[in-house]
Amino acid sequence: MLKYFFAVCLALMLATAYAQQERVPDTVKVGAYVISVHDINFHDKEYTIRFWLWFVYDNADFDFSKQLDIPNAKEIEPPDIIVDSVEGKSWAIMKMKCTMKEKWDVQDFPFDQQHLKVQIENALFDNRSLVFVPDLKGSRFDEKEAIDGWTIKNFQVLSKSNDYETGFGDSTVTGQVFSTFNIEMDIERNAWGLFMKIFIGMYIAFLIAIVSFTPHPSELEPRFGLPVGGLFAAVGNKYIIDSVLPESSTFTLVDTLHAFTFFAIFMTLVVSAIALKYHDSGRTEAALRVNRIGSRIVVVSYIFANLIAVVLALR
């Protein structure tokens, strides 16, 4: 009887060990070499990336030419594929071109820094069957040609998990977890040239408006016509910039600087109106004094407010 007991225990131990061995997923070594990041489109919330992708694995059931998925891509062009072997393992190399979805952070545009991520999965095998192991040594980006006008920082490849809270039609399963291979990087730019290009129209509009302080307070037409013309120019500049940026519910640097400009132009009209009122009542000296002090307050306040907004965006 004791022999049967030991035999059953041994059988259970072997079965448990075998089951645990069966649950060990296959590992796939995966790496990437980023060729270029281009066609960055803020308005359509997308960009294009070209990169080499390679897989080294043992399991013959893995066919990445058919099972590859990039969930955060808008479009994936059919890749060029090379299949070979290295050190007795299957070796698949793919040249990829993808149009990626991206939620751009334009809070500090054009002094913005963006985080890009390409998430790669096997669409057929979850993490019970397949786990990605990143090739940290071989994964790189082309430092000369990768991206124009931006600098790539914090480039990294890493393995993560993606949870799907569904059984995809299998009522016995409440969810699945897939291993992912992520290509991640931060990009930033020296934006002073772009800053001057997009805001030069706004600042010229403000200069046009403050020219109205130079005529005598009695000169009605230039005192009120110039600020109104500058206001329309600033509004037009705002619409032009907004056309290249995505819709945002937050108050961005672009919104802040234009709001300062609109308010400053309004204050030039207020100063002119007060000076004109004093002049019409025969208080010419008071009108000139209001014009002189008001103009200085408007100009200094506008410059100071712009400097603070830009400095905060640069932090």
Side-chain angles (χ1 to χ4, degrees):
M1 185 68 180
L2 191 58
K3 292 181 180 180
Y4 287 113
F5 175 75
F6 282 117
V8 171
C9 290
L10 181 60
L12 288 174
M13 291 173 62
L14 291 173
T16 301
Y18 180 76
Q20 290 177 346
Q21 184 179 6
E22 284 293 304
R23 288 196 294 268
V24 175
D26 291 310
T27 59
V28 176
K29 187 176 182 180
V30 53
Y33 182 83
V34 175
I35 303 169
S36 67
V37 177
H38 54 277
D39 295 344
I40 295 176
N41 190 321
F42 281 91
H43 186 266
D44 294 336
K45 300 181 181 180
E46 66 181 26
Y47 67 94
T48 301
I49 183 169
R50 295 171 61 244
F51 59 99
W52 285 100
L53 188 65
W54 58 87
F55 304 90
V56 180
Y57 53 95
D58 291 313
N59 194 331
D61 293 333
F62 298 157
D63 184 357
F64 290 97
S65 63
K66 298 178 181 178
Q67 299 165 359
L68 184 72
D69 185 31
I70 303 178
N72 61 329
K74 279 187 175 182
E75 182 181 357
I76 305 173
E77 289 193 5
D80 298 325
I81 304 171
I82 303 172
V83 179
D84 204 340
S85 61
V86 57
E87 299 179 353
K89 297 185 177 183
S90 298
W91 181 23
I93 308 174
M94 310 169 72
K95 190 175 184 180
M96 309 291 300
K97 182 179 180 181
C98 308
T99 301
M100 305 299 300
K101 298 179 292 184
E102 186 59 48
K103 185 179 180 182
W104 303 110
D105 181 6
V106 294
Q107 179 73 32
D108 297 323
F109 178 87
F111 303 105
D112 51 313
Q113 177 177 293
Q114 305 295 338
H115 181 73
L116 308 183
K117 180 179 74 173
V118 180
Q119 181 175 303
I120 297 165
E121 299 178 5
N122 185 297
L124 186 59
F125 296 95
D126 61 18
N127 67 347
R128 294 173 299 179
S129 304
L130 181 154
V131 172
F132 287 124
V133 177
D135 182 356
L136 300 178
K137 184 177 180 181
S139 298
R140 295 285 186 274
F141 65 92
D142 190 329
E143 295 186 7
K144 295 181 180 180
E145 303 293 338
I147 189 169
D148 291 329
W150 297 76
T151 301
I152 294 179
K153 294 188 175 181
N154 303 323
F155 178 88
Q156 60 180 337
V157 293
L158 60 161
S159 178
K160 292 186 177 181
S161 297
N162 190 14
D163 299 338
Y164 291 91
E165 297 179 357
T166 178
F168 299 99
D170 186 353
S171 58
T172 63
V173 179
T174 58
Q176 285 184 282
V177 180
F178 286 80
S179 179
T180 68
F181 171 73
N182 288 7
I183 307 169
E184 299 187 14
M185 69 191 86
D186 294 324
I187 60 172
E188 62 181 23
R189 58 189 161 196
N190 185 354
W192 283 108
L194 179 60
F195 177 85
M196 293 308 301
K197 285 182 180 179
I198 63 177
F199 287 112
I200 188 67
M202 180 191 76
Y203 289 127
I204 292 297
F206 173 73
L207 292 176
I208 291 172
I210 63 174
V211 169
S212 64
F213 288 128
T214 57
H216 193 272
S218 63
E219 298 290 337
L220 186 63
E221 185 175 345
R223 297 281 300 192
F224 290 92
L226 288 172
V228 171
L231 180 62
F232 278 107
V235 170
N237 189 80
K238 176 71 163 57
Y239 275 109
I240 291 173
I241 299 176
D242 285 346
S243 67
V244 300
L245 296 179
E247 293 184 4
S248 175
S249 58
T250 60
F251 214 64
T252 66
L253 177 64
V254 171
D255 298 321
T256 300
L257 296 184
H258 279 90
F260 288 159
T261 304
F262 298 153
F263 183 74
I265 293 175
F266 170 73
M267 290 308 299
T268 63
L269 293 171
V270 171
V271 171
S272 293
I274 295 174
L276 179 63
K277 183 176 181 181
Y278 277 124
H279 180 270
D280 289 344
S281 63
R283 302 170 62 184
T284 305
E285 289 297 326
L288 294 174
R289 185 168 57 252
V290 166
N291 183 70
R292 182 175 62 257
I293 296 174
S295 63
R296 292 175 181 176
I297 292 174
V298 170
V299 173
V300 172
S301 299
Y302 181 75
I303 293 174
F304 188 66
N306 274 257
L307 287 175
I308 291 177
V310 171
V311 169
L312 291 176
L314 289 170
R315 293 178 61 183

